[in-house]
Amino acid sequence: MLVLEQILNGIQFGIALFLMSAGLTLIFGIMGVINLTHGSLYMVGAYAAALVAAKTGSALLALVAGLAGAAVAGIVIEALVIRRLYARDHLDQVLATFALILIINQTATMLFGRQPLFVAMPPALSHSVTLLPGLVYPVYRLVVIAVGLVVALGLALPINRTRIGMLVRAGATSREMVRALGVDIRLLYTIIFGLGALLAGLAGAMAAPILAVQVGMGEQILILAFVVVVIGGVGSIRGAFYGALLAGLIDTMLRAFLPGLLRQVMAGSNADALGGGLSSMGVYLLMAIVLLVRPKGLFVRQS
Amino acid sequence: MTTPLLDVQGLCKRFGGLTATDTVDLALPEGELHALIGPNGAGKTTLINQLVGSLEHDSGSIRLDGAEIGHLPVWQRVHRGLARTFQITQLLPDFTPLDTVMLAVQARHGHSFRFFGNARNDRKIRDEAMQHLDQIGLGARANARVGDLAQGERKQLELAAALAEKPRLLLLDEPMAGLGSAESQQMIGQLAALKGKITMLIVEHDMEAVFTLADRVSVLVYGKIIARGSVDDIKSNEDVKVAYLGEGDV
């Protein structure tokens, strides 16, 4: 039962990673921009949700605030900074968006202080249910998983079926070709960036009751989201989905069980130290192996 | 004298110390098929990229039908009637040929269509795309996977996608590259059929194709046009022989 519970935890973490990396992979794949501020959008979403939840007590309003906050922040960042970076090389993009992280983090510290904000679980979702005999699981986390799956499906359909989705897929494969076909890519870029910001905001707002809302929370998940993009393949939403679940599961399972396994063969304190160290390496190890075996990512056709 | 369809004047592009495009003038009257030849690294693709706008030029002007287009983004130049194909095909391997051409057709129709409509079910766009594929002889392969097409078919598909933009000026970057001789003959036939209907600038190494198709030829060496004239002029030009056709062994 413990294993099942940890699998659910892994999936839930994977879903959060997916919401982050879906936007990241599209922005990188289609626009060619390395957007480090994606983590900041996540943080903005979490803060906006936390503040509104504290003021109104409504989880629904908090969610709306999280989405709106991240979307507005995304639009402002795109219009003021990112738009000037499309034609620049990646180093310029990293420098500019890293500077933005510092500015946004400092602003958040000045506004809200260093104390983490804690958000109460929405009362309707704060209980646990018995899924199987012996497996009791918090409803909120199940809802997070469900929302993530719905979003994944909701993305897959338009991307595979609609005209704008065709453009997104085409743009992720060959920007040059799409431009040459006469597609107004500025519009496409704005849509992609806005969509990415919304997803990051959703991830942040949903994380607010589970994690501490604090400055720097965006960077923790940003790094893992980049790892997921590499594992799944740049530009592939499907890759982001499976890559995120894989990374979420591996990270969670290793953290939960590796120290215990090692304790069978060595002293307790050593096992904990080694297990902790190894499990935080797990996802990066996975990325390294993927890069060796399928350098373009697991879900991108290798050429 | 009427305005040329494409009028390039004093076009320059430098990459650090390298002058890739050196005060190039180029005027194409409507209907002309103009070939641009030159040794590897002469700056032919760089020139095409500047004309279509994927590379910004340093100075000079690019006019299409009298209007300056040199500072428009790529997609706006395409909407004004410029289309291109690539030396190395830039097609989308997981699309079908039909999807690819539909993308071009729908880009041309712009936003007058429903953005979130089901793309594959749109009759009008579909029919028009199919027509372009049939015209180029790819109708039977419309629903294959682009990644599974032969090189010749890919080149044809790029041409079909470019034609779907209904261009006035078509820039072809080595349409024969990588084609076998039968495929080359087919491509030459298709371009010959388009000749006169669409103005074309064609970069090509295949001299047989160039000499068969071109009305006029420009020779680009180290970013500079060193000679321009009819096929016969170019064939007999001493500078061209030395610079391009091989140091005196022709």
Side-chain angles (χ1 to χ4, degrees), chain B residues 35-211:
Chain B
L36 183 67
I37 64 173
N40 283 325
K44 302 182 295 290
T45 298
T46 306
L47 181 59
I48 297 267
N49 285 342
Q50 289 170 82
L51 295 182
V52 80
S54 53
L55 188 67
E56 219 171 300
H57 58 279
D58 294 336
S59 59
S61 75
I62 304 168
R63 287 205 185 81
L64 189 70
D65 206 13
E68 175 69 45
I69 58 161
H71 298 286
L72 298 178
V74 178
W75 64 272
Q76 278 185 10
R77 298 189 201 193
V78 172
H79 284 246
R80 298 256 183 132
L82 212 66
R84 77 167 301 176
T85 64
F86 293 86
Q87 178 181 358
I88 298 154
T89 52
Q90 296 278 331
L91 294 164
L92 314 157
D94 288 326
F95 277 48
T96 67
L98 186 58
D99 287 340
T100 309
V101 179
M102 281 172 74
L103 210 57
V105 174
Q106 108 192 15
R108 184 167 54 80
H109 287 304
H111 312 307
S112 56
F113 282 80
R114 287 167 302 129
F115 223 20
F116 290 94
N118 187 327
R120 284 205 182 84
N121 286 351
D122 206 318
R123 264 263 106 78
K124 204 169 159 190
I125 289 182
R126 196 192 168 83
D127 291 347
E128 192 180 328
M130 206 54 220
Q131 219 176 320
H132 288 291
L133 284 172
D134 283 333
Q135 186 192 345
I136 219 78
L138 267 182
R141 301 284 273 156
N143 291 307
R145 212 182 130 257
V146 168
D148 297 332
L149 296 184
Q151 175 68 9
E153 292 175 318
R154 289 186 202 195
K155 287 281 188 187
Q156 286 178 316
L157 174 56
E158 264 206 11
L159 183 60
L163 290 175
E165 294 157 29
K166 298 249 164 89
R168 304 180 63 191
L169 174 64
L170 184 54
L171 310 173
L172 298 150
D173 196 354
E174 299 203 20
M176 321 286 167
L179 299 190
S181 67
E183 290 174 329
S184 286
Q185 285 308 326
Q186 198 181 358
M187 181 61 85
I188 291 175
Q190 272 156 358
L191 294 180
L194 293 171
K195 189 172 161 174
K197 296 182 192 134
I198 300 174
T199 312
M200 285 182 268
L201 179 67
I202 169 169
V203 168
E204 189 47 63
H205 280 295
D206 181 337
M207 284 306 129
E208 189 201 336
V210 168
F211 293 152

Side-chain angles (χ1 to χ4, degrees), chain A residues 3-296:
Chain A
V3 176
L4 274 181
E5 187 183 342
Q6 291 301 340
I7 286 178
L8 282 173
N9 280 343
I11 292 176
Q12 183 253 312
F13 182 44
I15 291 286
L17 279 179
F18 163 68
L19 293 177
M20 284 295 288
S21 44
L24 209 56
T25 200
L26 284 181
I27 291 169
F28 190 35
I30 298 180
M31 300 157 72
V33 172
I34 298 186
N35 175 31
L36 297 184
T37 58
H38 210 68
S40 305
L41 296 175
Y42 171 82
M43 182 182 78
V44 168
Y47 266 101
L51 293 172
V52 169
K55 272 251 155 52
T56 67
S58 158
L60 203 64
L61 282 180
L63 180 65
V64 172
L67 290 173
V72 169
I75 289 166
V76 171
I77 289 172
E78 202 263 350
L80 290 184
V81 181
I82 307 280
R83 200 168 282 179
R84 290 156 217 279
L85 296 172
Y86 293 140
R88 305 289 200 90
D89 63 23
H90 288 159
L91 182 62
D92 290 356
Q93 296 169 355
V94 167
L95 281 175
T97 54
F98 186 64
L100 273 178
I101 290 185
L102 298 178
I103 293 168
I104 293 170
N105 279 350
Q106 197 57 40
T107 311
T109 309
M110 278 169 9
L111 287 175
F112 309 112
R114 293 195 177 280
Q115 273 313 323
L117 304 180
F118 290 97
V119 180
M121 208 54 88
L125 306 175
S126 59
H127 58 289
S128 296
V129 287
T130 308
L131 292 178
L132 290 169
L135 176 62
V136 181
Y137 203 72
V139 171
Y140 186 80
R141 286 178 183 255
L142 288 177
V143 169
V144 170
I145 293 176
V147 168
L149 291 177
V150 168
V151 168
L153 266 180
L155 282 177
L157 275 177
I159 282 184
N160 288 322
R161 295 284 161 75
T162 65
R163 210 170 284 129
I164 180 83
M166 264 173 88
L167 280 182
V168 168
R169 280 185 297 142
T173 316
S174 170
R175 261 186 300 160
E176 203 58 30
M177 179 74 186
V178 168
R179 283 205 295 182
L181 289 178
V183 175
D184 176 0
I185 47 172
R186 286 176 318 169
L187 188 64
L188 185 62
Y189 283 7
T190 307
I191 291 170
I192 298 294
F193 203 87
L195 181 68
L198 268 180
L199 292 175
L202 177 62
M206 288 201 306
I210 303 179
L211 303 170
V213 177
Q214 58 188 331
V215 172
M217 67 186 290
E219 283 70 74
Q220 289 170 6
I221 196 164
L222 177 75
I223 295 169
L224 279 176
F226 265 114
V227 171
V228 168
V229 168
V230 172
I231 292 174
V234 171
S236 164
I237 295 260
R238 207 166 64 94
F241 182 71
Y242 292 115
L245 286 184
L246 199 61
L249 279 171
I250 287 183
D251 192 69
T252 308
M253 301 308 270
L254 285 178
R255 276 178 211 285
F257 299 115
L258 193 61
L261 286 177
L262 288 174
R263 224 173 278 157
Q264 313 287 331
V265 292
M266 60 178 80
S269 61
N270 288 346
D272 288 348
L274 187 63
L278 281 180
S279 53
S280 43
M281 280 168 51
V283 180
Y284 302 98
L285 219 60
L286 174 67
M287 174 174 78
I289 293 169
V290 168
L291 278 176
L292 276 176
V293 183
R294 289 176 73 91
K296 287 190 169 174

